[in-house]
Amino acid sequence: MDSRARNLLDEALGLDQLTQSKSPLGGKAVLIEDCVETSGSFVLHQLIKRLLTATSNSSNVVLFLAFANPFSHYDRILLGEEGKAGGGRSGLFALFANITKVLNSLPEGNRKCLTIVIDDVSLIEVAAHGSSDHVLDFLHYCHALTSNHHGCSLVMLNHDDFYSSMDRPVFLKQMEYAADVLVKVKPLATGLAADVHGQMTVLNRDQCNRRGSLNNRMSNFQFRIKENSVEYFYPGART
Amino acid sequence: MAATKTRTSSFSRNLPAASSAQSPEIKCGPNGTFLVSSGIPDLDKTLGGGIPLGSLVMVMEDSEAPHHMLLLRNFMSQGLVHKQPLLYASPSKDPRGFLGTLPSPSSPKDDKSRSHDAEQEKGLRIAWQYKKYFGENQSNLDGQRGMILFRFIVLYNKQEFSNEFDLRRPLDRHFYTGQHVDCISTKDLPNIAALQERCTSFLSQFSRNDATVACTGRIAIQSLCAPQCESSNMEWEMLSFIRSLKSTVRSAIAVAIITFPSSLVSATFCKRWQHLADCLVSVKAIPDEDKELAKLLTGYQDIVGFLNIHRVPRINTQVPAVLEATTLSIKLQKRRYLVLECLNQAPVDGSSGSSYGTSGSCSGASSKSGSLDF
């Protein structure tokens, strides 16, 4: 990558170890969960920025399925960073067909550079009128694209506070199970603060290491969101 | 860094012709947004100047008190006084009759006594807030600083952007008997599609791509999903309607406000609705004769309820807004004027128990506990 300073989120996502890899997120599926009090969309913005400004790999492509806000909103936040972005809305099947079309239109060697970003999954549920089975199928298909064959990466944003009041939050659990990296964004337990906007937990399920045991890495830190960047720090360690 | 790059974006913003200096009803907000007034100057101030164009405001009602009507009335009156087209939907059989109960702007004679105090107070407040920003080097505060100075300088003309409404004087008929005011009753609609269609056709007049648009549209939907409406059971349809309304409003020069009985919607759907809101507030009634609260708050007798701000509109930016106080008390001054105030904690006897953190001061992290938990 470039010589930009690593921050805690990069380390937690394992981005610092992927300097030579063509695939920016290592073909992983990342699930970001947030709640009404604290929005997790800044993580999406940061990841997209990271992907589009990586100087070592200028052929990064981001396929952005934006249901939550119009493109002008993201454009303003990302300050003119360009990337190929597209989105389909007419039925999940057609949507997936569009995604595969974009994927196939890329040259063979660059397919691993594709990152599909979904903002956000709950709106796909609304579009499907609540048939969570269809939405799950769609997400599983997208997840299949992250397998070794295609090697794409997937970043999804969802809100977990409405599933938590259900008896059997099957949808949420299935998504959490399928994700390789789980990022949970929460407000501080003590309330609002101008210096610290919230805390996040990142669970990174690495592949088995050589000895066959799993390396699950859990990181917990706080953040403060600024116009163009986000500061991450351990509690109490903010300079 | 990115600040030195020239923007090569293909997105350009089509601004309304009657913006900024021309029409007083719209003023510039941060991050390239434009603001309109909610009809309640105190609420405008808390939200950072007003409601951004394109936002969806959602108000969670309290089933025990109709305080959300105060918000709706002022919102609608403000739009009518500025001759902005209005679409009003309500579960009553005759929504047009409600227009006769909208408040009228207060006369200048009454205004003097109130704005004089406000002016003095503002003078003090501005000096204090300005001091707070010295020594911080955040670029986005320049905009805020500019806005505070702007407000101070044009205080004399403040009434143009937003009005004080006198709840005891009804609005003159000529404001709402016109082509630009449309009313729908949601009571007997079999499904939500009819309401959706009306909203879409109303908003098509305010598309941002149309250079001839000269004013802002306002949509006010009262008690969506109220049980007396036939369509209230169709939860996914409701959600789909709100989702499409949100996206249509965002691309229009308009503002929409929806109130809904949050206690009557199932918990998961209530959360989904809340996520869709750009601006989320809730109102709560104050219990009568609550001795604990009377001891805790000054002016308890004048308070009719609480307004809690859960989310402030953040369009075109990812930085969240951290308010000094998210709970405001709703008061009716002289039983005529709606006033929102920070809660003022009564002096606590040092020898007795703990103090609660919800006072009007600007401390950073505050912990809410006890009877003021929402």
Side-chain angles (χ1 to χ4, degrees):
Chain A
M1 260 190 175
D2 50 358
S3 57
R4 201 179 317 208
R6 299 283 166 264
N7 58 33
L8 289 176
L9 182 62
D10 292 336
E11 281 175 32
L13 291 175
L15 289 181
D16 50 344
Q17 280 144 19
L18 291 171
T19 42
Q20 295 310 313
S21 158
K22 259 213 144 179
S23 171
L25 280 174
K28 291 189 182 171
V30 181
L31 174 65
I32 306 166
E33 290 178 350
D34 69 359
C35 49
V36 175
E37 295 84 18
T38 312
S39 166
S41 48
F42 70 94
V43 183
L44 268 186
H45 305 149
Q46 292 304 299
L47 282 177
I48 295 176
K49 255 196 183 170
R50 196 58 104 185
L51 293 168
L52 294 176
T53 57
T55 53
S56 70
N57 194 353
S58 53
S59 52
N60 275 339
V61 175
V62 174
L63 178 55
F64 194 11
L65 304 179
F67 301 104
N69 288 299
F71 282 122
S72 54
H73 172 88
Y74 298 109
D75 185 57
R76 186 107 189 181
I77 292 177
L78 300 175
L79 275 182
E81 310 287 10
E82 289 193 67
K84 297 195 192 74
R89 278 157 220 254
S90 52
L92 293 177
F93 188 69
L95 181 57
F96 189 72
N98 275 336
I99 295 175
T100 44
K101 201 166 30 160
V102 171
L103 179 63
N104 292 331
S105 68
L106 292 175
E108 182 71 50
N110 281 351
R111 294 225 178 124
K112 292 196 183 213
C113 305
L114 177 68
T115 306
I116 304 171
V117 180
I118 304 181
D119 179 14
D120 57 57
V121 173
S122 64
L123 294 173
I124 304 184
E125 275 192 284
V126 175
H129 272 264
S131 50
S132 50
D133 291 339
H134 291 152
V135 182
L136 261 182
D137 286 342
F138 171 75
L139 291 175
H140 279 311
Y141 273 88
C142 289
H143 188 264
L145 293 176
T146 67
S147 69
N148 284 332
H149 178 59
H150 295 285
C152 314
S153 310
L154 176 65
V155 181
M156 302 171 281
L157 175 63
N158 198 5
H159 311 294
D160 66 340
D161 48 354
F162 36 81
Y163 300 106
S164 48
S165 53
M166 290 166 59
D167 288 331
R168 292 177 61 240
V170 173
F171 184 75
L172 182 70
K173 292 299 176 195
Q174 289 225 14
M175 283 182 56
E176 285 183 354
Y177 183 76
D180 298 307
V181 181
L182 189 56
V183 179
K184 277 203 185 178
V185 175
K186 283 202 195 92
L188 289 179
T190 44
L192 294 177
D195 296 330
V196 181
H197 290 145
Q199 57 188 5
M200 54 200 294
T201 309
V202 180
L203 173 61
N204 196 342
R205 298 191 190 110
D206 281 342
Q207 262 84 30
C208 300
N209 61 15
R210 261 176 255 131
R211 272 175 264 148
S213 56
L214 286 173
N215 275 341
N216 278 1
R217 191 164 51 163
M218 174 103 113
S219 326
N220 199 346
F221 44 88
Q222 296 177 340
F223 59 86
R224 179 175 184 223
I225 307 172
K226 304 200 289 213
E227 278 298 338
N228 296 329
S229 61
V230 183
E231 268 179 45
Y232 305 98
F233 43 88
Y234 289 116
R238 188 170 167 258
T239 47
Chain B
M1 240 179 75
T4 55
K5 271 196 204 170
T6 48
R7 293 199 58 187
T8 51
S9 154
S10 56
F11 295 113
S12 59
R13 194 164 289 275
N14 265 330
L15 302 172
S19 66
S20 55
Q22 262 80 22
S23 76
E25 70 208 42
I26 297 181
K27 71 180 183 196
C28 287
N31 305 309
T33 54
F34 289 90
L35 310 174
V36 289
S37 172
S38 61
I40 307 167
D42 293 324
L43 184 60
D44 287 343
K45 201 166 59 180
T46 311
L47 293 179
I51 306 177
L53 284 182
S55 355
L56 175 65
V57 180
M58 296 191 74
V59 180
M60 298 196 282
E61 301 172 12
D62 184 351
S63 47
E64 292 175 20
H67 296 319
H68 58 280
M69 301 303 292
L70 292 169
L71 302 180
L72 260 185
R73 281 201 174 93
N74 281 40
F75 175 81
M76 289 165 66
S77 282
Q78 184 71 76
L80 293 174
V81 159
H82 283 148
K83 300 190 179 47
Q84 294 167 347
L86 172 70
L87 176 66
Y88 171 58
S90 103
S92 82
K93 279 206 166 220
D94 176 31
R96 210 162 254 279
F98 177 70
L99 299 178
T101 67
L102 294 178
S104 176
S106 58
S107 59
K109 191 171 66 96
D110 299 320
D111 256 352
K112 258 201 199 146
S113 55
R114 168 152 168 74
S115 64
H116 177 65
D117 293 342
E119 208 171 330
Q120 276 206 335
E121 217 184 295
K122 264 193 181 39
L124 288 174
R125 194 172 297 166
I126 285 167
W128 161 77
Q129 279 190 348
Y130 197 83
K131 262 195 160 168
K132 179 177 154 196
Y133 296 139
F134 280 132
E136 294 221 35
N137 45 8
Q138 284 187 353
S139 59
N140 62 342
L141 280 177
D142 280 314
Q144 273 197 27
R145 199 183 294 159
M147 261 177 69
I148 292 168
L149 287 178
F150 165 78
R151 236 181 274 135
F152 178 68
I153 290 164
V154 299
L155 201 56
Y156 191 71
N157 291 329
K158 192 187 87 151
Q159 271 79 334
E160 293 290 332
F161 174 72
S162 81
N163 295 80
E164 287 283 346
F165 287 98
D166 185 344
L167 294 163
R168 283 190 161 180
R169 270 186 25 198
L171 197 58
D172 286 337
R173 278 185 65 84
H174 73 271
F175 280 115
Y176 54 85
T177 49
Q179 294 285 9
H180 62 295
V181 179
D182 200 6
C183 297
I184 317 167
S185 167
T186 51
K187 181 160 194 239
D188 296 318
L189 291 180
N191 56 36
I192 205 76
L195 178 60
Q196 184 160 350
E197 216 189 282
R198 291 284 281 274
C199 290
T200 316
S201 60
F202 177 77
L203 288 172
S204 61
Q205 312 165 43
F206 306 102
S207 163
R208 284 186 197 230
N209 298 325
D210 186 358
T212 61
V213 173
C215 53
T216 311
R218 291 193 185 219
I219 294 185
I221 301 179
Q222 179 194 328
S223 299
L224 189 65
C225 215
Q228 61 263 41
C229 302
E230 280 188 41
S231 52
S232 61
N233 287 332
M234 309 174 189
E235 292 184 314
W236 284 107
E237 276 80 4
M238 284 280 178
L239 207 49
S240 180
F241 161 66
I242 298 174
R243 158 89 193 95
S244 73
L245 178 67
K246 175 181 170 155
S247 61
T248 323
V249 167
R250 186 65 83 87
S251 57
I253 306 171
V255 174
I257 186 168
I258 300 182
T259 75
F260 69 102
S262 54
S263 49
L264 300 176
V265 181
S266 70
T268 45
F269 277 93
C270 190
K271 280 286 176 191
R272 283 180 192 264
W273 287 40
Q274 290 175 35
H275 267 285
L276 283 176
D278 291 313
C279 178
L280 181 67
V281 300
S282 64
V283 288
K284 202 168 169 79
I286 194 167
D288 279 333
E289 306 295 327
D290 187 327
K291 295 208 169 55
E292 287 287 329
L293 275 182
K295 270 194 285 187
L296 191 66
L297 302 169
T298 54
Y300 168 74
Q301 307 85 311
D302 302 325
I303 301 178
V304 297
F306 295 117
L307 177 82
N308 209 3
I309 301 175
H310 300 274
R311 189 186 273 194
V312 174
R314 304 308 286 161
I315 297 183
N316 293 343
T317 176
Q318 61 177 8
V319 183
V322 180
L323 299 177
E324 285 174 12
T326 56
T327 306
L328 304 173
S329 62
I330 306 176
K331 286 187 180 177
L332 289 179
Q333 213 180 48
K334 297 184 195 166
R335 295 198 194 164
R336 304 176 92 155
Y337 307 111
L338 180 63
V339 167
L340 300 175
E341 282 180 2
C342 287
L343 297 175
N344 284 317
Q345 191 181 330
V348 171
D349 183 6
S351 60
S352 65
S354 55
S355 65
Y356 290 80
T358 50
S359 60
S361 65
C362 67
S363 55
S366 63
S367 58
K368 299 182 188 183
S369 60
S371 56
L372 292 173
D373 253 355
F374 289 112

